[in-house]
Amino acid sequence: MPRGRYSLHDPHDHTPLGEEHFHCAPGPSGWRYVSQLTTPAGDHRGSVDLAVDELGRPIRLELHAQSWQVRGAALDGVTWVRTDPTGTHATEGNVRAHAFTGTSPAFLIALTRLLRLTPGAPETRVRLVAFTDPVLAPLTVDQSWALLGSETHPSDEGGLIVDEYQVSTLDTGERHTVHIAGDVVLAAPGIELEDLDTPPSVFPA
């Protein structure tokens, strides 16, 4: 069960956004990721709890940020309920999308499990619902993903396979790379792995 810490920053101007303290693990029915978010000053600012099934579909999502809360799952696309800070008004949403996304590294891992890309294959287009900071406002985005290749790096636990993905945001034309080993993001725009207590989990083929 990997445990560690990511530092988060604005991918455009590199303003520090805080840290994400996480643990995650695959299980008989899929994969689960749980984290606590802190501000640059160290104050609590939210949490992430994401579970996906063995095919990578989100079977449970729970986000908290600034008293806002989102609960969601894959249902007729993706479905969610967003609750306001007072708890008196809830809004429901549904989009014919493949999965959720957001600033947490959890979403990158979950999406690679869903897509199961192979090196050299054409780019795969996906529609996602992003919950944007700081109030978890939903936004539908279209991306294309491609697996550029995999490399084995030496480590204390043996060879560590690192996958390099190319991600394009279709409405803006922005393109970037994401490096993932097992169920840990090594580097991505706005995300840096700062500490890892145990090696990444290896998903079954």
Side-chain angles (χ1 to χ4, degrees), residues 97-174:
H98 297 87
F100 299 111
T101 191
T103 56
S104 174
F107 296 112
L108 300 176
I109 301 294
L111 191 53
T112 62
R113 298 304 301 154
L114 179 69
L115 298 179
R116 309 290 174 97
L117 301 176
T118 56
E123 293 185 349
T124 297
R125 179 170 175 164
V126 290
R127 172 157 289 184
L128 307 169
V129 173
F131 294 107
T132 58
D133 292 333
V135 294
L136 303 179
L139 175 68
T140 302
V141 298
D142 292 305
Q143 295 181 340
S144 66
W145 280 65
L147 177 57
L148 299 181
S150 302
E151 292 186 359
T152 301
H153 295 258
S155 69
D156 294 340
E157 304 295 324
L160 183 66
I161 299 177
V162 178
D163 297 323
E164 180 181 4
Y165 294 90
Q166 180 176 274
V167 183
S168 301
T169 303
L170 299 182
D171 60 343
T172 64
E174 290 184 82

Side-chain angles (χ1 to χ4, degrees), residues 43-142:
D43 300 321
H44 179 76
R45 72 175 181 92
S47 62
V48 177
D49 189 343
L50 173 65
V52 300
D53 66 13
E54 60 184 3
L55 298 179
R57 298 172 298 193
I59 55 176
R60 186 183 70 255
L61 171 67
E62 185 169 327
L63 302 175
H64 293 266
Q66 295 193 358
S67 299
W68 291 89
Q69 175 179 298
V70 166
R71 294 176 183 267
L75 182 66
D76 295 328
V78 294
T79 300
W80 69 92
V81 175
R82 177 174 174 265
T83 305
D84 67 294
T86 65
T88 57
H89 302 285
T91 57
E92 296 184 6
N94 173 261
V95 172
R96 287 288 183 178
H98 297 87
F100 299 111
T101 191
T103 56
S104 174
F107 296 112
L108 300 176
I109 301 294
L111 191 53
T112 62
R113 298 304 301 154
L114 179 69
L115 298 179
R116 309 290 174 97
L117 301 176
T118 56
E123 293 185 349
T124 297
R125 179 170 175 164
V126 290
R127 172 157 289 184
L128 307 169
V129 173
F131 294 107
T132 58
D133 292 333
V135 294
L136 303 179
L139 175 68
T140 302
V141 298
D142 292 305

